[in-house]
Amino acid sequence: MSAPAPNTHPTVQPPRPDVPALPYSEHVPNLLASYEKFGGLNNSDSHNMPSKRAVGEICEGLLQLLFPGFHDEDVVHHGTLAEVTASRMADVMLRLEDQVRKSVRVGNPKKPTGKTPPILQKFCKALHIVREILQTDIEEAYNNDPSARSHEEIILSYPFIEAISIQRLAHRLYRLGAPMIPRMMTEWAHSRTGIDIHPGASIGGHFFIDHGTGIVIGETCRIGNNVRIYHGVTLGARTFIKDEEGHVVKGLKRHPDVEDNVTIYPNSTILGGETVIGANSTIGANVFLMNSVPPDSLVIYEEKQLKILDKSVRKNPAPAWSI
């Protein structure tokens, strides 16, 4: 692990002696010394750093644009929908543009950001396409979950809809070259839903995650259409290749591909950039895979050493007779 970047900010000034001491102020000098020593963890003099809180609020605004009326306390009437949408679009996009511009300038506050507005224009242009894909996800959930009573219930209460909505939006920004913000968006969704999908993952339509807690989908995953995944599934990396200096090589294909019409049941782990799950396959629960499987495969663990005992016999054992 490389050391933090040296501190390039002016020396941190200690508290003035004429200012009354505050509670616990005796510990401040040690913290100030840490600021000096580990400058790479500081951002006290920079105004270009993206805000996690602002990105979270932007995600909320984007969800309002995708699902008008579902993320509002008050009714959005059809007669005012155009006006409300235009106002929200302007507000969310201007705030997002500001955060993207700041992300571009991280480490270089004077870096030109002329590409930021075109990125946001292309992103904004694709919002209706994201909605169309999300409609297929909602349909897939309704058709495959017997507990789903309506599309409205799915939008309001299924965590995977929030997670995949933000991921599909973040994926657009990721592909357009916006740094940092896509990852911040998906981590916002991860913290709320327990579903961790990297913005780099490419995911087809009619995607359904049942329950969702503990799912991890890596950056270079490619997932086809009509794929269903259950809680606890990991689509991860097998190994990390390092260069001659021992640093992890970036940008390689590290995560598996899942072709069309695949179902992956709970707590299965599939690893490796060369691993491909063939179309129409089913991966059973608790499977660990690091190799490809052909189309139309059923991958399961057969029960071994499984015992089913009579509890009543165990609770009332025969008396032990002594001689």
Side-chain angles (χ1 to χ4, degrees):
M1 179 176 178
S2 58
N7 189 10
T8 58
H9 302 307
T11 302
V12 177
Q13 298 297 319
R16 290 166 45 191
D18 57 328
V19 176
L22 297 172
Y24 305 102
S25 60
E26 67 270 22
H27 303 292
V28 170
N30 290 335
L31 197 54
L32 293 176
S34 171
Y35 294 160
E36 292 290 339
K37 185 175 181 181
F38 303 107
L41 304 181
N42 306 342
N43 192 48
S44 56
D45 294 317
S46 297
H47 301 286
N48 65 309
M49 189 69 73
S51 164
K52 293 181 68 173
R53 177 175 295 179
V55 170
E57 292 173 353
I58 289 167
C59 288
E60 291 276 15
L62 289 169
L63 289 173
Q64 287 182 317
L65 285 174
L66 292 177
F67 305 106
F70 283 89
H71 291 264
D72 299 279
E73 294 184 9
D74 299 322
V75 175
V76 179
H77 295 285
H78 184 75
T80 62
L81 184 58
E83 180 182 353
V84 169
T85 302
S87 175
R88 286 176 171 174
M89 182 80 78
D91 176 65
V92 171
M93 290 304 155
L94 287 174
R95 289 189 288 137
L96 181 57
E97 183 176 323
D98 180 55
Q99 294 302 310
V100 171
R101 182 177 292 109
K102 289 178 179 180
S103 72
V104 170
R105 287 178 169 170
V106 168
N108 186 0
K110 297 182 179 180
K111 184 176 180 179
T113 59
K115 293 183 179 180
T116 301
I119 287 175
L120 270 295
Q121 286 290 341
K122 293 177 182 177
F123 174 77
C124 191
K125 188 177 180 179
L127 287 178
H128 74 284
I129 300 174
V130 173
R131 268 182 56 88
E132 291 176 14
I133 300 173
L134 288 171
Q135 177 64 27
T136 72
D137 300 331
I138 296 166
E139 289 285 351
E140 194 73 11
Y142 184 77
N143 292 334
N144 285 276
D145 186 353
S147 71
R149 297 293 186 263
S150 67
H151 291 180
E152 290 79 6
E153 178 185 16
I154 292 167
I155 296 171
L156 286 170
S157 64
Y158 280 43
F160 103 90
I161 287 296
E162 188 166 294
I164 193 59
S165 297
I166 294 301
Q167 195 277 340
R168 291 196 187 281
L169 293 169
H171 181 69
R172 296 277 173 171
L173 284 176
Y174 177 91
R175 294 293 298 271
L176 290 169
M180 295 181 68
I181 303 303
R183 188 65 184 271
M184 294 173 72
M185 291 171 63
T186 54
E187 285 303 322
W188 177 83
H190 178 200
S191 68
R192 290 165 61 92
T193 66
I195 299 171
D196 183 2
I197 314 177
H198 194 283
S202 177
I203 302 174
H206 294 272
F207 183 60
F208 176 42
I209 295 176
D210 201 355
H211 301 292
T213 304
I215 280 180
V216 177
I217 300 176
E219 178 185 19
T220 60
C221 276
R222 293 190 294 246
I223 298 175
N225 298 310
N226 301 293
V227 170
R228 292 164 295 283
I229 297 179
Y230 288 76
H231 53 279
V233 167
T234 295
L235 303 178
R238 181 175 179 177
T239 56
F240 299 112
I241 298 176
K242 297 183 179 181
D243 60 21
E244 295 178 354
E245 298 179 354
H247 300 133
V248 173
V249 178
K250 311 286 186 178
L252 299 178
K253 180 77 168 71
R254 308 183 307 280
H255 307 96
D257 289 348
V258 179
E259 295 183 346
D260 296 345
N261 306 310
V262 168
T263 299
I264 306 175
Y265 282 101
N267 301 315
S268 287
T269 298
I270 304 171
L271 306 179
E274 297 180 355
T275 302
V276 178
I277 305 302
N280 307 304
S281 292
T282 299
I283 309 300
N286 302 307
V287 166
F288 185 89
L289 268 179
M290 293 195 297
N291 301 100
S292 298
V293 299
D296 300 296
S297 294
L298 172 61
V299 183
I300 61 173
Y301 277 123
E302 294 185 358
E303 294 180 352
K304 293 183 178 180
Q305 299 180 343
L306 181 68
K307 295 182 179 180
I308 301 176
L309 306 176
D310 186 337
K311 291 170 64 176
S312 62
V313 173
R314 297 191 69 193
K315 289 181 179 178
N316 302 289
W321 300 100
S322 60
I323 298 177

